[in-house]
Amino acid sequence: MIGGGLAGLSSAVALAESGFRVVLLEKRPHLGGRATSYTLPDGSEVDNCQHVTLGCCTNLADFYRRVGAAGKIRFYGKLYFADAKGRRSTIESSALFPPPLHMAPSFLFFSALTLADKNGIAHAMLSIARAGGSPPAIDGVSMLEWLQRMKQTRGAIERFWRVVLVSALDEELARTDARYGIEVFWKAFLGSRSGYRVGIPSVPLADLYEGCRVAVEGKGGEVRLRAGVREIRIQQDRFAGVILEDGSELTADACVAAVPHDAALEMLPASMGLERGSLAGLRQLKTSPITGVHMWFDRTVMQEPFLTLLDHTTQWVFNKTLLYAGNETGGAGARPIGKLSQESRSGGQYLQLVISASYDLVPKSRQEIIDLCRRELADVLPATRDVKLEKATVIKEVNATFSPEPGVDRFRPAQEIGVKGFFLAGDWTRTGWPATMEGAVRSGYLAIEALLTQFGRPGNFLQPDLPFEGLSKIWAGRKRTQPS
């Protein structure tokens, strides 16, 4: 198993549970890949970038359960928004109305949207729901094009659709396949009451993965850190082994490569990435950046667990001090948080800001980004104007995810590519989902299902989507029974 991110970890755990001896190779000194955390020189632990899950992410939830991390995720049924003037709005489900109408009451009082904005949004949402999540004529169409077809106002696009989708898909609307954007709203907001619920780790991300090591090693497997792979050997369309960066060779009956797509091309024979090669499409995949900004203030400046910002470059603000509360002494399986717990007791506060599709921030300096975020926080958190910023750090992931451009699926390979004993995993493979943690876990499960089938021991790991409810269940059923 090459790669210790979510795709590799889910593959390793599933394969170990199936009775195979697994050797997991990870070039970094820690597990988790892009969804991990590390310790700063002063002892503070920071997430590489804040990662959240949603209620509709059924495979990610299954993975957390398997590795004993489910209790470290807190779910929130109320979403908090702040506009440019700092005015708050919330969205939550109502028990009085069936899906897809369950959020209508709170949506009616969403102060940042005009009546025209809301009318347009309601029309588009109803079109998605009545089509069972698959409106007609969306192949090759960008999300922005589809919204314009649906006659969405500028305010609706900027203060609703863009706010949700850029964060969810890490790409601008004009560069996003409409199918992905529509699926987000169908599965998270329209299909069921709980699909939209935001799940946030109550511990640093690295604390979620210790159960993976236990799951693999407990079945006789091995986890090797600082074990980078230089070459994957393929001979006569069969996996033949790997060459590690230290020059040693490792052989096995099968291999799952769960690394970024560009890394896979570098490890595999060059012919596979050529024009007529089985992985030629990978050269067409583009990437999108994410920027995380961490700020420590000397006093409390925010009460909500998180905020989604409208009309700002900053998209999310996470109240890490509050989110970690209760786990400071190792509760719920967490280890002590050290510096963070000291700040919490002294009245200070740690916030993490996230900007997805942060193309404009890539060339900016660390200080420029911190200054920008400080100005934007002053709009929505007035208390930040008069407090001391004790320290701050910026983490840029320039190639954070693959870009979900219109038509991108034709470039995404399946987990099995016609090489005996060799399989691919990663959110960039063909999963039916965009570049998300759910997509990564789905890819891992699909890779192991393909491996087990090839070895004559079929098994099932992929979890079904949340069941549809209310009117959405009826409309989804009609969609399934329509002739193709």
Side-chain angles (χ1 to χ4, degrees), residues 153-234:
T153 65
R154 180 180 178 84
I157 292 174
E158 292 298 320
R159 294 186 169 188
F160 182 73
W161 299 101
R162 184 180 185 277
V163 168
V164 173
L165 293 177
V166 172
S167 296
L169 303 175
D170 189 30
E171 191 53 281
E172 293 293 344
L173 299 182
R175 298 172 178 167
T176 295
D177 193 308
R179 184 175 69 82
Y180 286 133
I182 289 167
E183 283 262 310
V184 167
F185 281 94
W186 173 233
K187 291 183 176 180
F189 291 92
L190 298 171
S192 67
R193 293 187 186 280
S194 59
Y196 79 100
R197 296 176 69 235
V198 174
I200 306 177
S202 60
V203 297
L205 286 173
D207 284 9
L208 297 176
Y209 309 123
E210 189 56 32
C212 300
R213 181 191 295 273
V214 173
V216 171
E217 295 179 343
K219 298 291 186 179
E222 183 181 357
V223 176
R224 298 187 191 178
L225 302 178
R226 294 186 174 90
V229 172
R230 184 171 67 201
E231 179 185 347
I232 300 172
R233 297 178 58 234
I234 305 293

Side-chain angles (χ1 to χ4, degrees), residues 44-60:
S44 301
E45 190 155 8
V46 297
D47 292 338
N48 191 42
C49 182
Q50 179 67 64
H51 285 68
V52 303
T53 183
L54 295 174
C56 61
C57 296
T58 55
N59 287 277
L60 183 59

Side-chain angles (χ1 to χ4, degrees), residues 1 15 18-22 237-240 251-256 415-416 419-424 446-459 461:
M1 202 73 59
L15 194 56
S18 300
F20 286 74
R21 182 178 180 272
V22 175
D237 292 329
R238 178 184 293 270
F239 170 71
T251 59
D253 296 313
C255 172
V256 177
Q415 287 72 37
E416 190 171 12
V419 176
K420 182 73 172 179
F422 180 73
F423 308 87
L424 296 172
L446 287 168
I448 297 310
E449 289 184 358
L451 185 154
L452 293 174
T453 297
Q454 196 173 104
F455 278 78
R457 296 170 56 179
F461 284 92

Side-chain angles (χ1 to χ4, degrees), residues 50 74 76 200-203 305-306 318-327:
Q50 179 67 64
R74 291 178 180 163
Y76 296 84
I200 306 177
S202 60
V203 297
F306 56 87
F318 293 92
N319 183 346
K320 301 293 280 190
T321 300
L322 179 60
L323 293 169
Y324 285 161
N327 281 329

Side-chain angles (χ1 to χ4, degrees), residues 350-468:
Y350 165 34
L351 305 182
Q352 181 176 359
L353 289 62
V354 177
I355 305 101
S356 298
S358 55
Y359 295 99
D360 292 343
L361 299 187
V362 170
K364 292 187 181 296
S365 69
R366 169 184 173 277
Q367 193 58 52
E368 287 176 313
I369 295 172
I370 292 171
D371 291 343
L372 168 65
C373 291
R374 186 78 191 268
R375 291 193 299 270
E376 295 195 336
L377 283 182
D379 293 338
V380 298
L381 299 173
T384 61
R385 300 169 189 169
D386 303 315
V387 300
K388 179 182 178 183
L389 178 63
E390 295 188 323
K391 62 181 178 181
T393 190
V394 176
I395 300 175
K396 295 180 186 177
E397 281 282 349
V398 178
N399 300 305
T401 66
F402 78 86
S403 175
E405 294 183 308
V408 72
D409 276 0
R410 68 184 185 275
F411 302 127
R412 300 171 69 183
Q415 287 72 37
E416 190 171 12
I417 58 171
V419 176
K420 182 73 172 179
F422 180 73
F423 308 87
L424 296 172
D427 58 11
W428 48 271
T429 60
R430 197 173 301 156
T431 66
W433 277 64
T436 60
M437 293 192 294
E438 169 73 5
V441 173
R442 287 174 68 94
S443 77
Y445 285 176
L446 287 168
I448 297 310
E449 289 184 358
L451 185 154
L452 293 174
T453 297
Q454 196 173 104
F455 278 78
R457 296 170 56 179
N460 297 314
F461 284 92
L462 194 69
Q463 302 299 304
D465 290 334
L466 282 181
F468 296 114

